[in-house]
Amino acid sequence: MKVLFFVLSCIYTFTASANEQFFTPMYLDEREPGLSLIREFPMSISAKVFPQQCTRASMMRANGPSTDSEEFSKFIKIVNKITSICMVEGQENDKGDIVSILINNNGSPRINPHGNGEHDSSKRTFRFSFKERSKQDIKLEITDDSALTKRLSHDLLHTTLVFIPRKVMPYVEAKIVNGKELLIMVLPTGEKVIFDKRTNEIIGGALSEKPMDFNPSRHNRKFAAIDYTGKGISIRADRRAGLPEKTHKVAFNKNERSKAVIKHQGKSCYVSKSDIWANSTNGEHTTPYFKYKSDQEFLDQVIRAKCGWNIGLNDL
């Protein structure tokens, strides 16, 4: 038994630095530093998958102590933590810090009924990205890929969502409730979004979703029907075949707005993207980023000045 727990300790120590960031909150406050550099447009990056965690967890379960032993409680906590990471995808920076979390719906009965079919390619992707791990980097990127033509410029509909207040770095929890496996994505506001792990469909929490649009017309196809129902503020931009935060001269889809839409408790406000993101008008080779280091600064300069809403941090 001592040998077993030595092995478990080694496995847990090896994986803890990256794994903990998936299910442990990193709290933010108004003193949190902002960006120090205006970065060049990054190369496209793919998520790093953690399938080895599933294999490790399975092996540990098969060789673990009996459920009535004193060691079982400690044992199962380690196994459950490792299992939770095998359920999600993520990306690390060169320091080993998690800088994105991704959940893919590659096919499900309600949201993506055309996935997992003959071509097995249509999907809806949720990616929380925080490349520099600062407040100004946190955004939820949603991509609907209809896969109708297999041409990315025709099939991909991109959405960017920013949430205020920014209290915590996004992370993911994995739980089993009444026998159902759930993924719980925690928004920067601290609110939770609940996914059914079997389908990767949203089934509760601060976001709701409707089925993907498979309209054959790329000009009329609707962007992801994702609604924020939480207490905070959401900021949204959409774009077909491009960065939603950028200000584009020509719309590639009739549902694409030239302005960002801000929503709070049923109210909507439309503001220029340049009021929200720096580098929004500086061409395709610069990286747009959220302009405001603190939530209070955003409330003062946008919510009150542009939208005319008298909202304070205590209201969120």
Side-chain angles (χ1 to χ4, degrees), residues 76-119:
I76 202 64
K77 286 181 180 179
I78 296 175
V79 172
N80 285 343
K81 283 190 173 184
I82 295 177
T83 300
S84 71
I85 303 312
C86 89
M87 295 180 174
V88 296
E89 298 179 22
Q91 184 198 359
E92 299 174 352
N93 63 16
D94 55 5
K95 298 178 182 178
D97 296 324
I98 300 300
V99 293
S100 76
I101 298 171
L102 182 146
I103 296 177
N104 263 328
N105 182 338
N106 292 312
S108 66
R110 185 174 66 92
I111 300 300
N112 182 16
H114 293 195
N116 294 329
E118 180 182 354
H119 300 291

Side-chain angles (χ1 to χ4, degrees), residues 56-219:
R56 285 175 179 162
S58 297
M59 292 175 61
M60 291 167 67
R61 287 183 188 278
N63 298 288
S66 62
T67 57
D68 57 355
S69 67
E70 294 181 1
E71 297 89 355
F72 183 75
S73 177
K74 180 179 179 181
F75 167 83
I76 202 64
K77 286 181 180 179
I78 296 175
V79 172
N80 285 343
K81 283 190 173 184
I82 295 177
T83 300
S84 71
I85 303 312
C86 89
M87 295 180 174
V88 296
E89 298 179 22
Q91 184 198 359
E92 299 174 352
N93 63 16
D94 55 5
K95 298 178 182 178
D97 296 324
I98 300 300
V99 293
S100 76
I101 298 171
L102 182 146
I103 296 177
N104 263 328
N105 182 338
N106 292 312
S108 66
R110 185 174 66 92
I111 300 300
N112 182 16
H114 293 195
N116 294 329
E118 180 182 354
H119 300 291
D120 193 23
S121 54
S122 66
K123 62 183 178 181
R124 172 172 287 173
T125 299
F126 296 86
R127 184 197 295 272
F128 250 122
S129 175
F130 33 99
K131 293 183 178 65
E132 299 291 336
R133 295 182 65 81
S134 78
K135 276 188 169 186
Q136 288 170 271
D137 269 316
I138 304 173
K139 63 181 179 179
L140 177 58
E141 300 166 286
I142 304 168
T143 302
D144 272 5
D145 180 1
S146 64
L148 292 173
T149 69
K150 305 301 184 294
R151 296 177 63 182
L152 298 183
S153 62
H154 287 197
D155 294 343
L156 298 186
L157 296 180
H158 301 287
T159 296
T160 292
L161 281 169
V162 175
F163 302 96
I164 303 293
R166 296 161 291 178
K167 297 179 178 179
V168 63
M169 200 70 73
Y171 64 102
V172 169
E173 300 173 332
K175 292 185 179 180
I176 299 177
V177 179
N178 296 326
K180 187 175 223 179
E181 287 185 288
L182 305 176
L183 284 178
I184 301 174
M185 176 184 284
V186 181
L187 303 180
T189 60
E191 298 163 313
K192 297 181 177 181
V193 181
I194 304 171
F195 290 81
D196 182 337
K197 178 59 185 73
R198 181 179 58 86
T199 63
N200 279 352
E201 293 183 355
I202 294 175
I203 59 174
L207 291 181
S208 64
E209 65 175 336
K210 293 180 181 178
M212 293 174 60
D213 185 4
F214 290 94
N215 188 324
S217 169
R218 65 185 184 275
H219 301 291

Side-chain angles (χ1 to χ4, degrees), residues 211-266:
M212 293 174 60
D213 185 4
F214 290 94
N215 188 324
S217 169
R218 65 185 184 275
H219 301 291
N220 296 317
R221 197 176 306 132
K222 295 179 181 178
F223 291 91
I226 307 294
D227 288 321
Y228 173 61
T229 57
K231 186 180 177 182
I233 294 171
S234 68
I235 306 146
R236 175 169 178 156
D238 299 299
R239 176 68 173 174
R240 177 172 73 81
L243 291 174
E245 301 97 316
K246 288 287 189 179
T247 301
H248 301 276
K249 294 180 180 180
V250 179
F252 290 160
N253 181 292
K254 76 171 189 177
N255 301 301
E256 184 180 310
R257 296 183 182 275
S258 60
K259 294 186 175 183
V261 57
I262 301 174
K263 292 188 176 182
H264 176 254
Q265 301 289 294

Side-chain angles (χ1 to χ4, degrees), residues 11-41:
I11 291 174
Y12 182 64
T13 300
F14 176 76
T15 59
S17 62
N19 293 357
E20 286 288 348
Q21 296 176 61
F22 275 100
F23 43 72
T24 302
M26 172 184 169
Y27 292 102
L28 306 170
D29 59 35
E30 288 298 288
R31 295 167 296 175
E32 198 67 29
L35 298 178
S36 58
L37 299 173
I38 298 178
R39 290 151 293 135
E40 293 301 314
F41 186 76

